[in-house]
């Protein structure tokens, strides 16, 4: 069948649920010509076919089954095919077991319509000035929009750096909207931060509406953000006295989107986990709440949209689910991609593809199966339904089912308790200090610690998890023959069984792979052990972790190659004006610093003739093209840079003291504290102090409080939520915020509220982090310099992000002070400085620079 396994399973269940009668569905078709996603619409009644006529669009298929098993189209089918075929909609007939199919009419594979450049020019040169009186064209904005349009029209990858103030959001929204409208297609718009996602939906997309572009958009959130009415009903039935559940029931009656974000009262992760929508626990169209379902309401809105606004995590999760299921993802099928804030894509992909095993995860998987104070466990409820008199199972299967329940009842408690013991033992042996981690390398596997202390415990845990997972799978197999209408009369215990089976199976698989080398499913991985995040007084426990060594090939094969066109953009993609580092890390070009092949030709052939004849080159000893380059080569990529329109020479001052000790020197912290406090005093607040560690935040914050006194409003990352910190910072106008990580990027504070950015240290990442360490070693094995071609470019991009917090509008003015003297003394300092915007630059003793800062602040803006 030309159906993905997931799509076939959805249709098969719907046919069984309907009692084997005709069921009609509308499906999307992927690039391989397979039905990859479908929605059940109706049963085969006299009114069903006309009701479907207006729903499918060209390129989709209408699917229905023949209960007789004869897939030959009837006269009515041919009439249906004729009517749909005229609109480019395909018609497919399947048998009720969804094992055979007959594509009566193929869907029209539309040639993408190109959008004329004149339409984009007209928007920026005519419509936008009419919409926004006083609008002034931004240098680079129109040029960027035309580059985005060329990528969408031409089906290629474009990597575009657009400096702050370019107006890149509209520069990609306008061509994306015009292309999606012209093709009645979908373009996914992915952002890294919630802030930008809110800006697109709340500010930028309404501009397109007011301009009359006539495009529909939908903001899509991950499924776990939505409340499930059926699960809430189940929780309320078993916990009638729970005040949080009761509050959720009242809230659900008037909730709009029905997401956790909309809740006006706090909930713990465990409480929300009990009632959230879940891909593994859905009845789909069989659910009595299907028409009112918050998640499917959002999904239906997305199905009708031209532009899908998502975040990086959801975009990447969609790729993982599609890869694992062979088809259906968590997002509707989209035709083009624009990926904004593209600079952290490698880290986002590494984080999403990272696997973890913790005692808490094992306990959470087991918990629904066992009884609690409030309710019976799923095992007990399954036994009462399927293992005793009145069971829909045959008598012999009833006995087997009850035997599995009895055995699991004895195994699950020890597994739950054992998970804690195993992880405490591993932490005690492998992690003697709080901030340590242990990377599992081939060399480490030869050590006695691994052979005698760690591996035996991991293997014991893997065996226990595998045994429980297999027994749960047997129970699922026994229930597989029960018709869905019967099996799901009481669905929650069945879902709990399936979820536990999958979760424990995944953990067993990862733990098993942990002891079998550095390749997991054929892909090189980094394996390590670190401390799990627990409450303060809990005994230390270990967390087993594994992450891909190189996500570039995965992004290339799962994202860029299947996607017809992709646009990646950010304010910081280049290092020293070059894209090579970014392209190499994301599978769009050879790794930066890769040695080039040597040219070798036979002695009797003239070298010039050889080149003209296109003779192949012979790789040198240090270069293996098969290992370094994908078999099909890299996709063609267009790159361009659009500088910021801001007048940095007038608006900003870069202060680079030369007299402080370098980081690591015994006197460095004292110098950094005094210099930071002095700069904060000169600026009068309105400052970000961007640190590279939480320890540095604590040190600088404490000394600033000591030096500046209680009158200064000092805010510190971690003392409240990020959004609340920014709100207090903006409202105060003269606050000082000490932050790390998330405050280096994705934060925009306009005006005098932010007039100083202090950066105590250049933002090099710690090379002892397991993934970083492994990537260093990989580059060394390739003959590359890991510092020059990995650590340095990453730090430069990070510094550019931090400096970019300062100037956000044409009227902003301020100072950036970098206290790290390595920008003067080390060969790479020039790379950092020359990668920054063209600000006024001052170097010299700290005292003199503070005076320069004072004069700068006293100057009246032009």
């Amino acid at each position: 069948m030309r159906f993905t396994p997931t799509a076939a399973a959805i249709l098969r269940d719907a046919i069984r649920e309907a009692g084997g009668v005709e069921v009609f569905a509308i499906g999307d078709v992927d690039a391989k010509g397979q039905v990859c996603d479908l929605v059940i619409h109706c049963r085969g009644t006299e009114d069903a076919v006309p009701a479907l006529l207006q729903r499918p669009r060209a390129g989709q298929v209408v699917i229905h089954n023949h209960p007789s098993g004869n897939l030959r189209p009837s006269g009515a089918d041919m009439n249906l095919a004729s009517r749909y075929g005229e609109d480019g909609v395909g018609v497919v007939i399947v048998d009720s077991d969804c094992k055979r199919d007959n594509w009566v009419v193929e869907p029209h594979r539309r040639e993408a319509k190109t959008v004329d450049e004149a339409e984009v020019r007209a928007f920026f040169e005519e419509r936008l000035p009419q919409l926004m009186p006083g609008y002034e064209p931004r240098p680079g904005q129109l040029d960027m929009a035309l580059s985005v349009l060329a990528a969408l029209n031409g089906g290629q990858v474009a990597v575009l750096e657009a400096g702050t103030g370019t107006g890149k959001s509209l520069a990609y929204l306008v061509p994306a909207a015009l292309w999606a409208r012209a093709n009645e297609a979908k373009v996914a718009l992915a952002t890294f931060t919630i802030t930008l996602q809110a800006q697109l939906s709340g500010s930028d997309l309404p501009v397109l509406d007011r301009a009359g572009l006539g495009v529909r958009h939908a903001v899509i959130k991950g499924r776990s953000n939505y409340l499930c009415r059926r699960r809430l009903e189940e929780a309320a039935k078993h916990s009638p006295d729970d005040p949080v559940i009761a509050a959720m029931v009242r809230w659900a009656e008037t909730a709009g989107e029905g997401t956790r974000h909309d809740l006006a009262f706090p909930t713990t992760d465990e409480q929300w986990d009990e009632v959230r929508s879940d891909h593994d626990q859905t009845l789909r169209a069989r659910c009595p709440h299907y028409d009112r379902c918050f998640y499917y309401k959002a999904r239906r809105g997305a199905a009708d949209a031209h532009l899908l606004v998502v975040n990086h995590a959801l975009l990447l999760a969609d790729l993982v689910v599609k890869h694992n299921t062979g088809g259906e993802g968590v997002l509707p099928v989209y035709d083009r991609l624009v990926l904004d804030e593209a600079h952290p894509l490698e880290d986002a992909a590494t984080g999403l593809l990272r696997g973890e095993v913790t005692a808490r995860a094992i306990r959470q998987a087991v918990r629904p199966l066992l009884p609690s104070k409030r309710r019976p466990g799923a095992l007990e409820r399954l036994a009462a339904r399927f293992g005793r008199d009145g069971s829909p199972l045959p008598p012999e299967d009833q006995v087997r089912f009850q035997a599995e329940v009895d055995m699991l009842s004895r195994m699950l408690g020890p597994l739950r308790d054992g998970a804690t013991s195993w992880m405490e033992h591993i932490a005690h042996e492998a992690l003697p200090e709080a901030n340590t981690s242990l990377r599992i390398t081939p060399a480490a596997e030869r050590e006695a610690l691994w052979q005698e202390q760690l591996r035996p415990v991991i293997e014991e845990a893997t065996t226990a998890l595998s045994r429980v997972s297999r027994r749960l799978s047997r129970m699922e197999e026994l229930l597989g023959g029960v018709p869905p209408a019967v099996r799901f009369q009481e669905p929650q215990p069945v879902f709990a069984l399936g979820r536990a089976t999958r979760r424990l199976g995944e953990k067993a698989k990862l733990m098993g792979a942990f002891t079998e080398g550095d390749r997991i499913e054929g892909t090189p991985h980094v394996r390590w052990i670190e401390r799990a995040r627990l409450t303060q007084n809990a005994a230390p426990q270990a967390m087993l972790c594994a992450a891909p060594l190189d996500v570039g090939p995965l992004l290339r094969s799962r994202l860029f190659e299947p996607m017809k066109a992709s646009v990646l953009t950010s304010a910081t993609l280049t290092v020293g004006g070059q894209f090579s580092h970014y392209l190499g890390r994301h599978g769009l070009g050879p790794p930066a610093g890769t040695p080039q092949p040597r040219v070798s030709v036979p002695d009797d052939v003239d070298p010039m003739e050889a080149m003209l004849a296109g003779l192949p080159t012979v790789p040198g000893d240090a270069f293996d093209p098969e290992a370094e380059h994908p078999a099909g080569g890299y996709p063609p990529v267009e790159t361009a840079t659009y500088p910021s329109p801001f007048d940095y020479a007038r608006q900003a001052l870069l202060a680079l003291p030369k007299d402080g000790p370098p980081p690591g020197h015994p006197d460095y912290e004292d110098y950094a504290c005094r210099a930071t406090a002095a700069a904060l005093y000169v600026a009068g607040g309105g400052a970000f102090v961007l640190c590279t560690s939480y320890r540095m935040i604590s040190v600088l914050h404490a000394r600033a409080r000591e030096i500046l006194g209680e009158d200064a409003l000092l805010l510190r990352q971690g003392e409240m939520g990020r959004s609340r910190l920014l709100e207090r910072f903006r409202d105060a106008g003269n606050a000082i915020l000490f932050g790390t990580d998330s405050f280096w990027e994705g934060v925009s504070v306009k005006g005098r509220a932010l007039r100083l950015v202090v950066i105590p240290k250049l933002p090099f990442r710690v090379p002892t982090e397991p993934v970083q360490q492994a990537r260093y070693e990989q580059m060394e094995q390739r003959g590359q310099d890991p510092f020059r071609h990995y650590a340095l470019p990453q730090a430069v991009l990070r510094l550019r992000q931090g400096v970019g917090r300062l100037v956000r509008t044409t009227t902003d003015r301020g100072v950036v002070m970098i206290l790290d003297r390595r920008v003067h003394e080390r060969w790479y300092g020039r790379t950092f400085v020359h990668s920054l915007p063209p600000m006024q630059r001052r170097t010299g003793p700290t005292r003199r620079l503070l005076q320069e800062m004072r004069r700068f602040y006293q100057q009246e803006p032009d």
Side-chain angles (χ1 to χ4, degrees), residues 696-752:
M696 182 60 77
I697 287 178
S698 297
V699 171
L700 293 176
H701 180 270
R703 288 293 299 279
R705 169 67 65 208
E706 177 184 322
I707 296 171
L708 298 177
E710 296 295 326
D711 290 339
L713 177 55
L714 305 183
L715 305 174
R716 179 174 57 179
Q717 184 173 344
E719 64 185 10
M720 63 184 74
R722 180 173 181 263
S723 297
R724 178 61 180 145
L725 271 177
L726 280 174
E727 184 181 347
R728 287 202 65 192
F729 183 87
R730 289 192 183 102
D731 291 346
N734 61 351
I736 299 162
L737 194 155
F738 296 79
T740 184
D741 292 338
S742 60
F743 286 94
W744 284 77
E745 59 184 277
V747 175
S748 183
V749 179
K750 300 175 182 178
R752 279 186 50 79

Side-chain angles (χ1 to χ4, degrees), residues 319 334 337 339 554-563:
L319 298 180
Y334 52 92
L337 169 67
L339 204 151
L554 296 174
L555 289 171
R556 181 179 61 247
S557 63
R558 298 187 192 181
L559 179 62
F560 300 125
E561 288 178 349
M563 184 56 48

Side-chain angles (χ1 to χ4, degrees), residues 299-318:
R299 186 71 187 249
R300 287 189 288 270
D304 191 46
H306 293 107
L307 303 177
L308 307 176
V309 182
V310 303
N311 60 29
H312 289 195
L314 192 57
L315 176 81
L316 295 168
D318 179 65

Side-chain angles (χ1 to χ4, degrees), residues 43 224 326 506 651:
R43 298 181 183 181
S224 62
E506 289 168 0
Q651 293 179 251

Side-chain angles (χ1 to χ4, degrees), residues 25 117 179 224 234 262 416 459 467 482 597 599 619 702 756 758 809:
E117 285 188 3
W179 188 91
S224 62
E234 174 91 5
D262 298 329
R416 176 193 58 200
E459 289 178 341
R467 285 174 177 168
V482 179
V599 178
L756 171 65
V758 178
T809 72

Side-chain angles (χ1 to χ4, degrees), residues 397-471:
D397 286 350
Q398 287 182 37
V399 174
R400 292 170 59 197
F401 191 87
Q402 185 62 51
E404 295 294 345
V405 169
D406 294 341
M407 179 60 72
L408 282 164
S409 297
R410 294 191 291 271
M411 297 173 70
L412 289 175
L415 177 66
R416 176 193 58 200
D417 300 336
T420 301
S421 300
W422 294 320
M423 294 304 176
E424 286 181 354
H425 175 84
I426 293 172
H428 180 267
E429 296 296 333
L431 309 172
E433 298 179 11
N435 295 321
T436 58
S437 63
L438 176 66
R439 188 168 144 228
I440 309 303
T441 63
E445 289 177 321
R446 294 190 290 269
E447 299 290 334
L449 173 63
W450 172 259
Q451 295 288 345
E452 299 172 10
Q453 298 295 335
L454 302 181
R455 180 169 187 149
V457 175
I458 295 173
E459 289 178 341
E460 178 187 343
T462 303
T463 300
L465 284 167
S466 299
R467 285 174 177 168
V468 169
S469 178
R470 284 196 299 270
R471 290 197 171 274

Side-chain angles (χ1 to χ4, degrees), residues 168-230:
K168 63 181 171 63
S169 297
L170 282 179
Y172 62 70
L173 283 177
V174 172
L178 292 171
W179 188 91
R181 186 186 66 179
N183 289 276
E184 270 303 306
K186 286 179 170 41
V187 177
L189 310 170
T191 73
F192 184 68
T193 62
I194 296 175
T195 302
L196 181 54
Q197 194 175 66
Q199 177 192 313
L200 293 181
S201 60
S203 301
D204 297 325
L205 285 165
V207 171
L208 305 189
D209 294 338
R210 295 198 300 273
L213 291 193
V215 292
R216 302 176 296 276
H217 78 273
V219 178
I220 305 181
K221 300 174 183 176
R223 184 166 191 157
S224 62
N225 288 285
Y226 294 92
L227 178 80
C228 173
R229 292 184 185 274
R230 182 193 62 76

Side-chain angles (χ1 to χ4, degrees), residues 671-691:
Y671 164 76
C673 289
R674 292 180 182 278
T676 298
L680 297 174
Y681 177 79
V682 169
F688 275 3
V689 181
L690 298 179
C691 303

